Amino acid sequence: MVREFKLPDVGEGVAEGEIVSWLVEEGDAVTEDQAVAEVETDKAIVEVPSPVNGTVREIIPEEGEVVEVGSVIITFDVEGEPVEEGQTEGEARRAAESDAGSAPESEASGEAEQATTQGDATEETVAEEVSTGEGRVFAAPSARRLARELGVDIASVEGSGPSGRVTERDVRQTAESAGTDDASGETGGASQSGGEPSAQSGGATSGPGPMEDDVSGKSGGATSGPAPTSVESADRERTLAAPATRRVAEEQGVDLNAVPATEQRDGEAFVTSEAVMQYAEAQRQAQQSQAETAAETSAGERVERIQYKGVRKTIGDAMSRSKYTAPHVTHHDTAVVEDLVDTRERLKPKAEEQGIRLTYMPFVMKAVVAALKQHPKLNAELDEEAGEILRKNYYNVGVATATDAGLMVPVVDDVDHKGLLQISSEVNEVVQKARDRSISRDELQGSTFSVTNFGAIGGEYATPILNYPEAAILGIGELKQRPVVEDGEVVAKHTLPISLSIDHRIVDGADAAAFANTFIEYVENPELLLLE
């Protein structure tokens, strides 16, 4: 029995995913819950497990393809159950689409109309049109696509891969073999109705013979030898040319059917050796020009095109939604944090004894929560549909993290119930998981307020974009010594620049300033955090 497996919903709200890599191949035996593919969602890469024990029958989307949730991505032959001959529903559907796409528009529309009127075309009927008499064909999706591009019947290809699997190399060899057979059979014969003109008016040719390249072009005129032969063309249905012209085309490596016609004879394109030489020279000049251009850009292309998709596109969409939905206002200030620096230096060895690297982020997060408790307007979101402001009585802090795939915001839950060392441990863990793309979707959701530490790279102030639908986000600049006026004297002190962005629909500028003042009070006097 064939079991179709559809891309599952790998996270709340996920509508599609990109196939990053297949972990199995067609013909492989798999067990239930064995990972068969890696799929990239809008935030992370997740492994998709097999739902059954069985053998991989067909892999449908190729690596790099984006598929919708609910689409069939792989089929299995279930162990202990008979294997169906022919094709699965997915195979039949793609074969039918391929046939329709390669047929002329009128044929395709006619076939579609016929299928609509009949209405009862079964899966078996479609499968018979593309299956072999001996059973189904094992071939990779790339090999099937190549066969369609080269016009090769996949059922006629003898597979050299494992278990007779058809590879791209097998398809190419079959196509080349077919091309050789066509070339060897390119001999002229008796002219049929609608074929080449005969050597004499009203007569029939007895076979090919010597002919000069320069053939008389008079309408209806007789030639002194056999008529030009015709071959199938990629650019036109038939091409007329003398044998000598064909030899010239072969020597020059020119596709005779691509050469512009010299004239028309009885509605057929006729090509002379002179036209072939001109076309060959034009090709050589074009190739030389391309080579020169390639040499000029060998050090690197002037423009690199990168697909805007996956995590990068999701981040962009979220940024656009936030920026163009919530009116942003950013409040800037600076804290003098000499005591914070001293406190961390004293606690670092204690944290290292427990295997924890203590950064400034846990202090910042504890100060944020302490300030939010006093200014709850910033721990909120606007429910536009309900027309309500939702003020949260819990404190989940998101930590914006730069990764190779873009900006992610892993979340530490219930910061108000945790100590500095536990917060530090959890922050280090989720940040690392975000960077190596092993983080779960749940760990990227549910934040009520976010912090972004752009100062880790450098810089003092910024205008952070809200992690929508949150009402506020705090940006932290670089903590370092700067000149500070103290008792009328300019002295060097450790300072921490902050940039607080708010949703001005539900948070006023005065609220932002008050929150910033409270936050600064806590980071300037970290012992106050002991009271929280």
Side-chain angles (χ1 to χ4, degrees), residues 331-383:
H331 174 85
H332 302 286
D333 210 332
T334 303
V336 180
V337 291
E338 284 292 310
D339 289 346
L340 175 62
V341 173
D342 292 341
T343 301
R344 175 176 173 267
E345 287 300 317
R346 291 197 307 270
L347 296 178
K348 275 180 63 178
K350 297 294 183 180
E352 290 173 356
E353 290 177 1
Q354 300 184 41
I356 298 174
R357 183 172 62 90
L358 182 62
T359 66
Y360 288 107
M361 183 57 70
F363 294 93
V364 168
M365 294 169 67
K366 289 292 286 185
V368 161
V369 171
L372 288 175
K373 288 182 177 179
Q374 297 183 40
H375 307 281
K377 290 183 179 180
L378 281 77
N379 197 47
E381 68 176 81
L382 175 62
D383 185 341

CSV table of all heavy atoms in Angstrom, one decimal, residues 331-383:
chain,number,residue,atom,x,y,z
A,331,HIS,N,12.8,57.1,22.6
A,331,HIS,CA,13.3,58.0,23.7
A,331,HIS,C,14.8,57.5,24.0
A,331,HIS,O,15.0,56.4,24.2
A,331,HIS,CB,12.4,57.8,25.0
A,331,HIS,CG,13.0,58.5,26.2
A,331,HIS,ND1,12.7,59.9,26.4
A,331,HIS,CD2,13.7,58.1,27.2
A,331,HIS,CE1,13.3,60.2,27.5
A,331,HIS,NE2,13.9,59.2,28.0
A,332,HIS,N,15.7,58.5,24.1
A,332,HIS,CA,17.1,58.2,24.3
A,332,HIS,C,17.5,58.8,25.7
A,332,HIS,O,17.1,59.9,26.1
A,332,HIS,CB,18.0,58.8,23.2
A,332,HIS,CG,17.6,58.4,21.9
A,332,HIS,ND1,17.9,57.1,21.4
A,332,HIS,CD2,17.0,59.0,20.8
A,332,HIS,CE1,17.5,57.0,20.2
A,332,HIS,NE2,16.9,58.1,19.8
A,333,ASP,N,18.4,58.0,26.4
A,333,ASP,CA,19.0,58.5,27.6
A,333,ASP,C,20.3,57.7,27.9
A,333,ASP,O,20.6,56.8,27.2
A,333,ASP,CB,18.0,58.3,28.8
A,333,ASP,CG,18.1,59.4,29.9
A,333,ASP,OD1,19.3,59.9,30.0
A,333,ASP,OD2,17.2,59.7,30.5
A,334,THR,N,21.0,58.1,29.0
A,334,THR,CA,22.2,57.5,29.3
A,334,THR,C,22.3,57.2,30.8
A,334,THR,O,22.0,58.1,31.6
A,334,THR,CB,23.4,58.3,28.9
A,334,THR,OG1,23.4,58.6,27.5
A,334,THR,CG2,24.7,57.6,29.2
A,335,ALA,N,22.8,56.0,31.2
A,335,ALA,CA,22.9,55.7,32.6
A,335,ALA,C,24.4,55.6,32.9
A,335,ALA,O,25.2,55.1,32.1
A,335,ALA,CB,22.3,54.4,32.9
A,336,VAL,N,24.8,56.1,34.1
A,336,VAL,CA,26.2,56.0,34.6
A,336,VAL,C,26.2,54.7,35.4
A,336,VAL,O,25.6,54.7,36.5
A,336,VAL,CB,26.6,57.2,35.4
A,336,VAL,CG1,28.1,57.0,35.9
A,336,VAL,CG2,26.5,58.5,34.5
A,337,VAL,N,27.0,53.7,35.0
A,337,VAL,CA,26.8,52.4,35.6
A,337,VAL,C,28.1,51.9,36.2
A,337,VAL,O,28.5,50.7,36.1
A,337,VAL,CB,26.3,51.4,34.5
A,337,VAL,CG1,24.9,51.7,34.1
A,337,VAL,CG2,27.2,51.4,33.3
A,338,GLU,N,28.8,52.7,36.9
A,338,GLU,CA,30.1,52.3,37.6
A,338,GLU,C,29.8,51.2,38.6
A,338,GLU,O,30.5,50.2,38.7
A,338,GLU,CB,30.7,53.5,38.3
A,338,GLU,CG,31.4,54.5,37.4
A,338,GLU,CD,32.7,53.9,36.8
A,338,GLU,OE1,33.5,53.3,37.6
A,338,GLU,OE2,32.8,54.0,35.6
A,339,ASP,N,28.7,51.3,39.4
A,339,ASP,CA,28.4,50.3,40.4
A,339,ASP,C,28.0,49.0,39.7
A,339,ASP,O,28.3,47.9,40.3
A,339,ASP,CB,27.2,50.8,41.3
A,339,ASP,CG,27.7,51.9,42.2
A,339,ASP,OD1,28.9,52.1,42.4
A,339,ASP,OD2,26.8,52.6,42.8
A,340,LEU,N,27.3,49.1,38.6
A,340,LEU,CA,26.9,47.8,37.9
A,340,LEU,C,28.2,47.1,37.4
A,340,LEU,O,28.3,45.9,37.5
A,340,LEU,CB,26.0,48.2,36.7
A,340,LEU,CG,25.6,47.0,35.8
A,340,LEU,CD1,24.8,46.0,36.6
A,340,LEU,CD2,24.8,47.5,34.6
A,341,VAL,N,29.1,47.8,36.9
A,341,VAL,CA,30.4,47.2,36.4
A,341,VAL,C,31.1,46.5,37.6
A,341,VAL,O,31.6,45.4,37.5
A,341,VAL,CB,31.3,48.2,35.7
A,341,VAL,CG1,32.7,47.6,35.4
A,341,VAL,CG2,30.7,48.8,34.5
A,342,ASP,N,31.2,47.2,38.7
A,342,ASP,CA,31.8,46.6,39.9
A,342,ASP,C,31.1,45.4,40.4
A,342,ASP,O,31.7,44.4,40.8
A,342,ASP,CB,31.9,47.7,41.0
A,342,ASP,CG,32.9,48.8,40.7
A,342,ASP,OD1,33.7,48.6,39.8
A,342,ASP,OD2,32.7,49.9,41.3
A,343,THR,N,29.8,45.5,40.4
A,343,THR,CA,29.0,44.3,40.9
A,343,THR,C,29.2,43.1,40.1
A,343,THR,O,29.4,42.0,40.6
A,343,THR,CB,27.5,44.7,41.0
A,343,THR,OG1,27.3,45.8,41.8
A,343,THR,CG2,26.7,43.5,41.5
A,344,ARG,N,29.1,43.3,38.8
A,344,ARG,CA,29.4,42.1,37.9
A,344,ARG,C,30.7,41.5,38.0
A,344,ARG,O,30.9,40.3,38.0
A,344,ARG,CB,29.1,42.6,36.4
A,344,ARG,CG,29.5,41.5,35.4
A,344,ARG,CD,29.2,41.9,34.0
A,344,ARG,NE,29.6,41.0,33.0
A,344,ARG,CZ,30.8,41.0,32.4
A,344,ARG,NH1,31.7,42.0,32.7
A,344,ARG,NH2,31.1,40.1,31.5
A,345,GLU,N,31.8,42.4,38.1
A,345,GLU,CA,33.1,41.9,38.3
A,345,GLU,C,33.2,41.0,39.6
A,345,GLU,O,34.0,40.0,39.6
A,345,GLU,CB,34.1,43.0,38.3
A,345,GLU,CG,34.3,43.7,37.0
A,345,GLU,CD,34.8,42.7,36.0
A,345,GLU,OE1,35.7,41.9,36.3
A,345,GLU,OE2,34.4,42.8,34.8
A,346,ARG,N,32.5,41.4,40.6
A,346,ARG,CA,32.6,40.6,41.9
A,346,ARG,C,31.9,39.3,41.7
A,346,ARG,O,32.3,38.3,42.3
A,346,ARG,CB,32.0,41.5,43.0
A,346,ARG,CG,32.8,42.7,43.4
A,346,ARG,CD,32.4,43.1,44.8
A,346,ARG,NE,30.9,43.4,44.9
A,346,ARG,CZ,30.4,44.5,44.6
A,346,ARG,NH1,31.1,45.6,44.2
A,346,ARG,NH2,29.0,44.7,44.7
A,347,LEU,N,30.8,39.3,41.0
A,347,LEU,CA,30.0,38.1,40.9
A,347,LEU,C,30.4,37.1,39.8
A,347,LEU,O,30.1,35.9,39.8
A,347,LEU,CB,28.5,38.4,40.6
A,347,LEU,CG,27.8,39.2,41.7
A,347,LEU,CD1,26.4,39.6,41.3
A,347,LEU,CD2,27.8,38.5,43.0
A,348,LYS,N,31.2,37.6,38.8
A,348,LYS,CA,31.7,36.7,37.7
A,348,LYS,C,32.4,35.4,38.2
A,348,LYS,O,32.0,34.3,37.7
A,348,LYS,CB,32.6,37.5,36.8
A,348,LYS,CG,31.9,38.3,35.7
A,348,LYS,CD,32.8,39.0,34.8
A,348,LYS,CE,33.7,38.0,34.0
A,348,LYS,NZ,34.6,38.7,33.1
A,349,PRO,N,33.3,35.5,39.1
A,349,PRO,CA,34.0,34.3,39.6
A,349,PRO,C,33.0,33.3,40.2
A,349,PRO,O,33.1,32.1,40.0
A,349,PRO,CB,35.0,34.8,40.6
A,349,PRO,CG,35.3,36.2,40.2
A,349,PRO,CD,33.9,36.7,39.7
A,350,LYS,N,32.0,33.8,41.0
A,350,LYS,CA,31.1,32.9,41.6
A,350,LYS,C,30.2,32.2,40.5
A,350,LYS,O,29.9,31.0,40.6
A,350,LYS,CB,30.1,33.7,42.5
A,350,LYS,CG,30.8,34.4,43.7
A,350,LYS,CD,31.4,33.3,44.6
A,350,LYS,CE,32.0,34.0,45.9
A,350,LYS,NZ,32.5,33.0,46.8
A,351,ALA,N,29.9,32.9,39.5
A,351,ALA,CA,29.1,32.3,38.4
A,351,ALA,C,29.9,31.3,37.6
A,351,ALA,O,29.4,30.2,37.3
A,351,ALA,CB,28.6,33.4,37.4
A,352,GLU,N,31.2,31.6,37.4
A,352,GLU,CA,32.0,30.6,36.7
A,352,GLU,C,32.2,29.3,37.4
A,352,GLU,O,32.4,28.3,36.8
A,352,GLU,CB,33.4,31.3,36.4
A,352,GLU,CG,33.3,32.4,35.4
A,352,GLU,CD,34.6,33.2,35.2
A,352,GLU,OE1,35.6,32.9,36.0
A,352,GLU,OE2,34.7,34.1,34.3
A,353,GLU,N,32.2,29.4,38.8
A,353,GLU,CA,32.3,28.2,39.6
A,353,GLU,C,31.2,27.3,39.3
A,353,GLU,O,31.3,26.0,39.5
A,353,GLU,CB,32.3,28.6,41.1
A,353,GLU,CG,33.6,29.3,41.5
A,353,GLU,CD,33.6,29.7,43.0
A,353,GLU,OE1,32.5,29.4,43.6
A,353,GLU,OE2,34.6,30.3,43.5
A,354,GLN,N,30.0,27.8,38.9
A,354,GLN,CA,28.9,27.0,38.6
A,354,GLN,C,28.7,26.8,37.0
A,354,GLN,O,27.7,26.3,36.6
A,354,GLN,CB,27.6,27.7,39.1
A,354,GLN,CG,27.6,27.9,40.6
A,354,GLN,CD,26.3,28.5,41.1
A,354,GLN,OE1,25.2,28.1,40.7
A,354,GLN,NE2,26.4,29.4,42.1
A,355,GLY,N,29.8,27.1,36.3
A,355,GLY,CA,29.8,26.9,34.9
A,355,GLY,C,28.9,27.9,34.1
A,355,GLY,O,28.5,27.5,33.0
A,356,ILE,N,28.7,29.1,34.6
A,356,ILE,CA,27.8,30.1,34.0
A,356,ILE,C,28.6,31.3,33.7
A,356,ILE,O,29.4,31.8,34.5
A,356,ILE,CB,26.6,30.4,34.9
A,356,ILE,CG1,25.8,29.2,35.2
A,356,ILE,CG2,25.8,31.5,34.3
A,356,ILE,CD1,24.7,29.4,36.2
A,357,ARG,N,28.5,31.8,32.4
A,357,ARG,CA,29.1,33.0,32.0
A,357,ARG,C,28.2,34.2,32.3
A,357,ARG,O,27.1,34.3,31.7
A,357,ARG,CB,29.5,33.0,30.5
A,357,ARG,CG,30.3,34.2,30.0
A,357,ARG,CD,30.7,34.0,28.6
A,357,ARG,NE,29.6,33.8,27.7
A,357,ARG,CZ,29.0,34.8,27.0
A,357,ARG,NH1,29.4,36.0,27.2
A,357,ARG,NH2,28.0,34.5,26.2
A,358,LEU,N,28.5,35.0,33.2
A,358,LEU,CA,27.6,36.1,33.6
A,358,LEU,C,27.9,37.4,32.8
A,358,LEU,O,29.0,37.9,32.8
A,358,LEU,CB,27.9,36.4,35.1
A,358,LEU,CG,27.0,37.5,35.7
A,358,LEU,CD1,25.5,37.1,35.7
A,358,LEU,CD2,27.4,37.8,37.2
A,359,THR,N,26.9,37.8,32.1
A,359,THR,CA,27.0,39.0,31.3
A,359,THR,C,26.2,40.1,31.9
A,359,THR,O,25.6,39.9,33.0
A,359,THR,CB,26.5,38.8,29.8
A,359,THR,OG1,25.1,38.5,29.9
A,359,THR,CG2,27.2,37.6,29.2
A,360,TYR,N,26.1,41.3,31.2
A,360,TYR,CA,25.3,42.3,31.8
A,360,TYR,C,23.8,42.1,31.5
A,360,TYR,O,22.9,42.8,32.1
A,360,TYR,CB,25.7,43.7,31.2
A,360,TYR,CG,27.1,44.2,31.7
A,360,TYR,CD1,28.2,44.1,30.9
A,360,TYR,CD2,27.2,44.7,33.0
A,360,TYR,CE1,29.4,44.6,31.4
A,360,TYR,CE2,28.4,45.1,33.5
A,360,TYR,CZ,29.5,45.1,32.7
A,360,TYR,OH,30.7,45.5,33.1
A,361,MET,N,23.5,41.2,30.5
A,361,MET,CA,22.1,41.1,30.1
A,361,MET,C,21.2,40.7,31.2
A,361,MET,O,20.1,41.2,31.3
A,361,MET,CB,22.0,40.1,28.9
A,361,MET,CG,20.6,39.9,28.4
A,361,MET,SD,19.8,41.5,27.8
A,361,MET,CE,20.9,41.8,26.4
A,362,PRO,N,21.5,39.7,32.1
A,362,PRO,CA,20.6,39.4,33.2
A,362,PRO,C,20.3,40.6,34.1
A,362,PRO,O,19.1,40.8,34.6
A,362,PRO,CB,21.4,38.3,34.0
A,362,PRO,CG,22.3,37.7,33.0
A,362,PRO,CD,22.7,38.8,32.1
A,363,PHE,N,21.3,41.5,34.4
A,363,PHE,CA,21.0,42.7,35.2
A,363,PHE,C,20.0,43.6,34.4
A,363,PHE,O,19.1,44.2,35.1
A,363,PHE,CB,22.3,43.5,35.4
A,363,PHE,CG,23.3,42.7,36.3
A,363,PHE,CD1,24.3,41.9,35.7
A,363,PHE,CD2,23.3,42.8,37.6
A,363,PHE,CE1,25.2,41.3,36.5
A,363,PHE,CE2,24.2,42.2,38.4
A,363,PHE,CZ,25.2,41.4,37.9
A,364,VAL,N,20.2,43.7,33.1
A,364,VAL,CA,19.3,44.6,32.3
A,364,VAL,C,17.9,44.0,32.3
A,364,VAL,O,16.9,44.8,32.5
A,364,VAL,CB,19.8,44.7,30.9
A,364,VAL,CG1,18.8,45.3,30.0
A,364,VAL,CG2,21.1,45.5,30.8
A,365,MET,N,17.8,42.7,32.2
A,365,MET,CA,16.5,42.1,32.2
A,365,MET,C,15.7,42.2,33.5
A,365,MET,O,14.5,42.5,33.6
A,365,MET,CB,16.6,40.6,31.8
A,365,MET,CG,17.1,40.4,30.3
A,365,MET,SD,17.5,38.7,29.9
A,365,MET,CE,15.9,37.9,30.0
A,366,LYS,N,16.5,42.1,34.6
A,366,LYS,CA,15.9,42.2,35.9
A,366,LYS,C,15.4,43.7,36.2
A,366,LYS,O,14.4,44.0,36.7
A,366,LYS,CB,16.9,41.8,37.0
A,366,LYS,CG,17.1,40.3,37.1
A,366,LYS,CD,15.9,39.6,37.6
A,366,LYS,CE,15.7,39.8,39.1
A,366,LYS,NZ,14.5,38.9,39.6
A,367,ALA,N,16.3,44.6,35.7
A,367,ALA,CA,15.9,46.1,35.8
A,367,ALA,C,14.7,46.4,34.9
A,367,ALA,O,13.9,47.2,35.3
A,367,ALA,CB,17.1,46.9,35.4
A,368,VAL,N,14.6,45.8,33.7
A,368,VAL,CA,13.5,46.0,32.9
A,368,VAL,C,12.2,45.5,33.6
A,368,VAL,O,11.2,46.3,33.6
A,368,VAL,CB,13.6,45.2,31.5
A,368,VAL,CG1,12.3,45.0,30.8
A,368,VAL,CG2,14.6,46.0,30.6
A,369,VAL,N,12.2,44.3,34.2
A,369,VAL,CA,11.0,43.8,34.8
A,369,VAL,C,10.6,44.7,36.0
A,369,VAL,O,9.4,45.0,36.2
A,369,VAL,CB,11.2,42.4,35.3
A,369,VAL,CG1,10.1,41.9,36.1
A,369,VAL,CG2,11.4,41.5,34.0
A,370,ALA,N,11.6,45.2,36.8
A,370,ALA,CA,11.3,46.0,37.9
A,370,ALA,C,10.7,47.3,37.4
A,370,ALA,O,9.7,47.8,38.1
A,370,ALA,CB,12.6,46.3,38.7
A,371,ALA,N,11.1,47.9,36.3
A,371,ALA,CA,10.5,49.1,35.7
A,371,ALA,C,9.2,48.8,35.2
A,371,ALA,O,8.3,49.7,35.3
A,371,ALA,CB,11.5,49.7,34.7
A,372,LEU,N,9.0,47.7,34.6
A,372,LEU,CA,7.6,47.4,34.0
A,372,LEU,C,6.6,47.2,35.1
A,372,LEU,O,5.4,47.6,34.9
A,372,LEU,CB,7.7,46.1,33.2
A,372,LEU,CG,8.4,46.1,31.8
A,372,LEU,CD1,8.5,44.7,31.2
A,372,LEU,CD2,7.7,47.1,30.9
A,373,LYS,N,7.0,46.7,36.2
A,373,LYS,CA,6.0,46.6,37.3
A,373,LYS,C,5.5,48.0,37.8
A,373,LYS,O,4.3,48.1,38.2
A,373,LYS,CB,6.6,45.8,38.5
A,373,LYS,CG,6.8,44.4,38.2
A,373,LYS,CD,7.4,43.7,39.4
A,373,LYS,CE,7.5,42.2,39.2
A,373,LYS,NZ,8.1,41.5,40.4
A,374,GLN,N,6.4,49.0,37.6
A,374,GLN,CA,5.9,50.3,38.0
A,374,GLN,C,5.3,51.1,36.9
A,374,GLN,O,4.6,52.0,37.1
A,374,GLN,CB,7.2,51.1,38.5
A,374,GLN,CG,7.8,50.5,39.8
A,374,GLN,CD,8.9,51.4,40.3
A,374,GLN,OE1,8.8,52.6,40.3
A,374,GLN,NE2,10.0,50.7,40.8
A,375,HIS,N,5.5,50.6,35.6
A,375,HIS,CA,4.9,51.3,34.5
A,375,HIS,C,4.3,50.2,33.5
A,375,HIS,O,4.9,49.9,32.5
A,375,HIS,CB,6.0,52.1,33.7
A,375,HIS,CG,6.8,53.0,34.6
A,375,HIS,ND1,6.3,54.2,35.0
A,375,HIS,CD2,8.0,52.9,35.2
A,375,HIS,CE1,7.2,54.8,35.8
A,375,HIS,NE2,8.2,54.0,35.9
A,376,PRO,N,3.2,49.6,33.9
A,376,PRO,CA,2.6,48.5,33.2
A,376,PRO,C,2.1,48.9,31.8
A,376,PRO,O,1.8,48.0,31.0
A,376,PRO,CB,1.4,48.1,34.1
A,376,PRO,CG,1.1,49.3,34.9
A,376,PRO,CD,2.4,50.0,35.1
A,377,LYS,N,2.0,50.2,31.5
A,377,LYS,CA,1.6,50.5,30.1
A,377,LYS,C,2.5,50.0,29.1
A,377,LYS,O,2.1,49.8,27.9
A,377,LYS,CB,1.5,52.0,30.0
A,377,LYS,CG,0.3,52.7,30.8
A,377,LYS,CD,0.3,54.2,30.5
A,377,LYS,CE,-0.8,54.8,31.3
A,377,LYS,NZ,-0.9,56.3,31.1
A,378,LEU,N,3.8,49.8,29.4
A,378,LEU,CA,4.7,49.3,28.4
A,378,LEU,C,4.8,47.8,28.3
A,378,LEU,O,5.4,47.2,27.4
A,378,LEU,CB,6.1,49.8,28.8
A,378,LEU,CG,6.4,51.3,28.4
A,378,LEU,CD1,5.8,52.2,29.3
A,378,LEU,CD2,7.9,51.5,28.3
A,379,ASN,N,4.1,47.1,29.2
A,379,ASN,CA,4.1,45.6,29.2
A,379,ASN,C,2.7,45.2,28.6
A,379,ASN,O,1.9,44.6,29.3
A,379,ASN,CB,4.3,45.0,30.6
A,379,ASN,CG,4.6,43.5,30.5
A,379,ASN,OD1,5.5,43.1,29.7
A,379,ASN,ND2,4.0,42.7,31.4
A,380,ALA,N,2.4,45.7,27.4
A,380,ALA,CA,1.0,45.5,26.9
A,380,ALA,C,1.1,45.4,25.4
A,380,ALA,O,2.1,45.5,24.7
A,380,ALA,CB,0.2,46.8,27.3
A,381,GLU,N,-0.1,45.2,24.8
A,381,GLU,CA,-0.3,45.2,23.3
A,381,GLU,C,-1.7,45.7,23.0
A,381,GLU,O,-2.6,45.7,23.9
A,381,GLU,CB,0.0,43.8,22.8
A,381,GLU,CG,-1.1,42.8,23.1
A,381,GLU,CD,-0.9,41.5,22.4
A,381,GLU,OE1,0.0,40.7,22.9
A,381,GLU,OE2,-1.6,41.2,21.4
A,382,LEU,N,-1.9,46.1,21.8
A,382,LEU,CA,-3.2,46.6,21.4
A,382,LEU,C,-3.9,45.5,20.5
A,382,LEU,O,-3.4,45.1,19.5
A,382,LEU,CB,-3.0,47.9,20.6
A,382,LEU,CG,-4.3,48.5,19.9
A,382,LEU,CD1,-5.3,48.8,21.0
A,382,LEU,CD2,-4.0,49.7,19.1
A,383,ASP,N,-5.1,45.1,21.0
A,383,ASP,CA,-5.9,44.2,20.2
A,383,ASP,C,-6.8,45.0,19.3
A,383,ASP,O,-7.9,45.5,19.8
A,383,ASP,CB,-6.7,43.3,21.1
A,383,ASP,CG,-7.5,42.2,20.4
A,383,ASP,OD1,-7.7,42.4,19.1
A,383,ASP,OD2,-7.9,41.2,21.0
